[in-house]
Amino acid sequence: MNRRRTPNNFTYVSSCVKYMIFLLNFAFWLFGGVLIGIGTYAFLDKWRDGTGQVDWHGLIKLETIYDIVLNISLILIIAGGVVFIVSFAGCVGALRENTCLLKFYSLFLLIFFLLEMAVAIMGFVFPHTMQSMLEESFTDKIIHTYRDDADLQNLIDFAQREFHCCGLSSEGYMDWSKNEYFNCSSPSVEQCGVPFSCCINDTDITSGLVNFMCGHKVQQLSVAEASKKVWTSGCIEVIRSWALRNLYTIAAVALAVALVQLFVIYLGKTLEGQIELQKARWTS
């Protein structure tokens, strides 16, 4: 029985690689669309008036880079848009065997990977420098805008309650003196206080409800006295300490994510190479 011999220069496009890239990116394409939808809804919901209509006047204020970085809903839209576009290029590039889209896809994955590695190296090698940079760059702006953005306020309250911290910088709970509602010269009933999320126990024992005034006047107390009522350390230092305690776990997760990214980049370049070999074979 004669068997047909495969030519030495035979090339093929692997269906396994092709559809693995397609399915993986299809899932991320859907995820990107969900992020865009959630971000858009949250962004518009903040600007609805009493009748439920969106007030389009002054909807977007992008005076500084902080107006983008500290706008949670806008970050969701941007992140979702990037994921949507890149994964769409991976989907179509794999399905249609388009090398231009696959090169675009692989390039962006490589850029993301290098940026993540740069941030990780900065965090592990220069932790104190990173902490100081974050404190100097974001403390004042975040504290000032605490009541101006509901999404940012919820995020700060969540971080302070979960990590048992108050404020951001090494000043700790005294950071809130920079907020117009909590500084001691404010006419507000919250003057010299801190948000309820700073309190060690923010729940009223008798009613079981959150006591929003549990941090009243704590800025007038010494650190020793204030520590009996509220957490006194800044969140950036507390989170850095938490990261050091869980360093091996974080490193293992980061390594796993990096390996997955490298594997996906490898798949993309492999498929791209197979397609180009096929083209060269048929044009020669």
Side-chain angles (χ1 to χ4, degrees):
M1 181 177 178
N2 294 327
R3 292 185 177 180
R4 186 177 179 181
R5 296 184 60 187
T6 303
N8 292 332
N9 63 346
F10 176 75
T11 60
Y12 69 101
V13 175
S14 172
S15 297
C16 180
V17 173
K18 176 178 176 178
Y19 288 106
M20 188 181 297
I21 294 175
F22 171 76
L23 291 174
L24 183 64
N25 282 282
F26 183 73
F28 275 97
W29 178 71
L30 293 177
F31 177 67
V34 170
L35 284 182
I36 294 172
I38 294 173
T40 302
Y41 175 81
F43 185 76
L44 296 178
D45 188 60
K46 288 189 295 187
W47 298 93
R48 295 187 190 278
D49 55 27
T51 63
Q53 300 296 318
V54 177
D55 181 12
W56 296 100
H57 298 289
L59 181 62
I60 303 178
K61 296 178 181 179
L62 302 178
E63 297 175 357
T64 66
I65 188 64
Y66 297 107
D67 294 327
I68 298 176
V69 174
L70 300 180
N71 192 318
I72 308 301
S73 54
L74 194 57
I75 289 295
L76 284 177
I77 294 173
I78 294 173
V82 172
V83 172
F84 188 89
I85 293 171
V86 174
S87 57
F88 181 77
C91 275
V92 178
L95 195 62
R96 303 298 298 175
E97 299 182 6
N98 188 306
T99 54
C100 290
L101 288 177
L102 286 173
K103 286 180 179 179
F104 171 84
Y105 170 71
S106 299
L107 176 63
F108 267 84
L109 285 185
L110 181 60
I111 291 173
F112 295 156
F113 176 78
L114 293 176
L115 288 175
E116 290 166 9
M117 290 300 102
V119 172
I121 291 171
M122 280 289 293
F124 283 115
V125 179
F126 308 107
H128 295 288
T129 303
M130 180 74 80
Q131 179 181 340
S132 300
M133 184 177 67
L134 289 174
E135 289 182 1
E136 294 173 4
S137 302
F138 293 104
T139 298
D140 289 353
K141 189 65 177 178
I142 289 177
I143 296 296
H144 287 158
T145 57
Y146 173 74
R147 284 284 169 76
D148 299 335
D149 189 327
D151 295 330
L152 182 62
Q153 178 177 328
N154 290 333
L155 179 63
I156 294 171
D157 287 336
F158 172 80
Q160 291 187 149
R161 297 182 82 172
E162 291 298 314
F163 289 99
H164 296 168
C165 56
C166 188
L168 273 79
S169 73
S170 56
E171 295 293 324
Y173 71 106
M174 292 304 295
D175 278 342
W176 290 105
S177 63
K178 302 170 185 176
N179 183 277
E180 61 180 340
Y181 294 97
F182 295 107
N183 67 60
C184 292
S185 61
S186 170
S188 168
V189 295
E190 297 174 306
Q191 62 173 250
C192 280
V194 295
F196 74 94
S197 53
C198 287
C199 297
I200 296 174
N201 185 6
D202 59 13
T203 304
D204 189 276
I205 299 175
T206 56
S207 64
L209 301 175
V210 174
N211 178 12
F212 289 94
M213 298 300 292
C214 59
H216 187 55
K217 300 292 185 181
V218 296
Q219 290 183 40
Q220 295 178 339
L221 304 177
S222 65
V223 176
E225 293 176 323
S227 63
K228 298 176 183 178
K229 293 185 176 183
V230 300
W231 311 110
T232 56
S233 300
C235 288
I236 293 177
E237 171 61 27
V238 170
I239 292 174
R240 188 183 72 84
S241 299
W242 173 85
L244 288 175
R245 291 194 303 271
N246 297 275
L247 185 61
Y248 291 111
T249 302
I250 294 172
V253 172
L255 179 62
V257 171
L259 290 175
V260 170
Q261 288 180 302
L262 287 174
F263 177 67
V264 174
I265 292 172
Y266 167 75
L267 288 179
K269 297 304 291 184
T270 299
L271 181 60
E272 180 188 328
Q274 290 175 352
I275 294 169
E276 288 181 340
L277 283 174
Q278 280 285 299
K279 288 181 177 179
R281 180 168 175 261
W282 289 106
T283 55
S284 61

